[in-house]
Amino acid sequence: MVLPMNAILPIPGPHVACIMDGNGRWAKRRGLPRTEGHTAGEENLAEVVRIASSRGIAYLTVFGFSTENWVRPKAEVRHILSLHKRLFGRIQELNENNVRINWIGRPFDEPGARTPAFVQRAIRQAIADTATNTGMVLTVAFDYGSRAELLRAAQRCISETSSTASITSEDMQSHLYSSELPDVDLLIRTSGESRISNFLLWQIARAKVYFTERSWPDLDASEIDKALALLRK
Ligand code: IPE
Ligand code: IPE
Ligand code: MG
């Protein structure tokens, strides 16, 4: 099922999306195991959330784990899963910052979905425990792939109509995992790769894109401000 965001009033401010890349290389440069890079990445996400909400970002959407990432070594996947439990468990901090949690990804009960039960529970709990916050909406993409999202939306549009010719952009939008999310204004990808990696293909249609050499664990306020400056150009 798709976890519905209880109807949210549109929040004024930009929608920023981040492809949080480079945790492994960050660790390698320090002679540490890749898992340490993921731990540092999760800690930096907490910091980025504080910075983003202080800058008036209305929606922050981050790529936590992709539909393609399951092929990584089992121990690394296990570690990343445990970090998502930690991330969705930061309720007190999220409430202090008035941040509301949301999630996008393959619906738990659909074929191919792989989110384990303990992560599902953490996601549901975080959504419930932050539902009354009125500040920034933090959407975590977990077991997310944009093609899967678009295929599902297209299938649903087709099953609802007698004439596929009448399907509109609005119909597609209404069947995305989180249809309330506005288009992305700014996409940031860390760690020097200039790829989109199957992230939010529909939603980034008109986004500015900021690629930085910084690894995700090193993305700081000054770099975020450089990216945000693109929105004023
Ligand atoms: C991003 O860092 C985290 C995830 C994709 C889960 P990577 O693990 O991709 O780090 P690099 O790209 O190998 O350095
Ligand atoms: C994209 O990073 C996915 C996440 C950040 C979760 P990857 O490291 O998986 O992307 P590719 O494989 O380099 O495109
Ligand atoms: Mg990577």
Side-chain angles (χ1 to χ4, degrees):
M1 69 167 206
V2 177
L3 300 178
M5 272 213 286
N6 304 326
I8 49 164
L9 295 173
I11 306 170
H15 182 180
V16 176
C18 294
I19 301 174
M20 308 189 288
D21 198 19
N23 294 346
R25 281 164 281 175
W26 181 93
K28 195 174 173 204
R29 278 199 299 278
R30 286 163 179 74
L32 298 168
R34 290 178 60 84
T35 47
E36 290 296 316
H38 295 307
T39 301
E42 193 277 332
E43 279 161 13
N44 198 46
L45 174 57
E47 183 60 23
V48 170
V49 168
R50 280 189 290 274
I51 297 164
S53 53
S54 79
R55 297 295 193 271
I57 291 170
Y59 301 89
L60 178 67
T61 301
V62 297
F63 208 174
F65 196 78
S66 77
T67 50
E68 288 79 31
N69 287 150
W70 293 105
V71 299
R72 293 192 180 202
K74 268 205 183 90
E76 183 179 349
V77 170
R78 252 199 316 271
H79 186 81
I80 295 172
L81 294 181
S82 74
L83 288 170
H84 278 78
K85 188 173 170 197
R86 181 188 290 181
L87 152 65
F88 287 109
R90 289 180 181 266
I91 305 296
Q92 196 185 334
E93 258 172 87
L94 294 165
N95 285 336
E96 279 165 14
N97 289 295
N98 197 21
V99 171
R100 184 163 172 187
I101 281 278
N102 180 39
W103 160 78
I104 51 175
R106 286 187 290 192
F108 302 148
D109 57 359
E110 282 193 7
R114 292 185 63 175
T115 305
F118 77 96
V119 178
Q120 293 184 23
R121 275 196 298 277
I123 291 172
R124 288 182 210 278
Q125 194 68 49
I127 292 173
D129 290 349
T130 62
T132 57
N133 291 340
T134 54
M136 189 176 82
V137 174
L138 170 63
T139 301
V140 180
F142 181 89
D143 192 25
Y144 176 85
S146 190
R147 285 191 171 179
E149 177 180 39
L150 292 174
L151 275 172
R152 176 178 177 277
Q155 285 157 355
R156 293 196 162 208
C157 284
I158 291 165
S159 74
E160 277 176 8
T161 183
S162 50
S163 154
T164 51
S166 67
I167 294 171
T168 64
S169 288
E170 288 72 28
D171 297 331
M172 280 292 287
Q173 172 74 30
S174 73
H175 289 296
L176 298 178
Y177 293 143
S178 238
S179 57
E180 303 90 340
L181 285 181
D183 277 357
V184 172
D185 299 292
L186 171 66
L187 173 68
I188 300 173
R189 182 171 186 147
T190 54
S191 211
E193 308 295 345
S194 36
R195 282 196 291 279
I196 303 299
S197 298
N198 198 19
F199 192 43
L200 303 177
L201 300 179
W202 180 275
Q203 298 88 336
I204 61 169
R206 294 182 199 83
K208 301 269 179 90
V209 185
Y210 185 81
F211 295 113
T212 169
E213 293 295 324
R214 293 282 180 100
S215 302
W216 175 258
D218 289 334
L219 188 78
D220 61 10
S222 71
E223 198 62 23
I224 292 170
D225 288 339
K226 276 192 217 160
L228 287 173
L230 277 185
L231 293 176
R232 295 191 291 274
K233 281 188 183 150

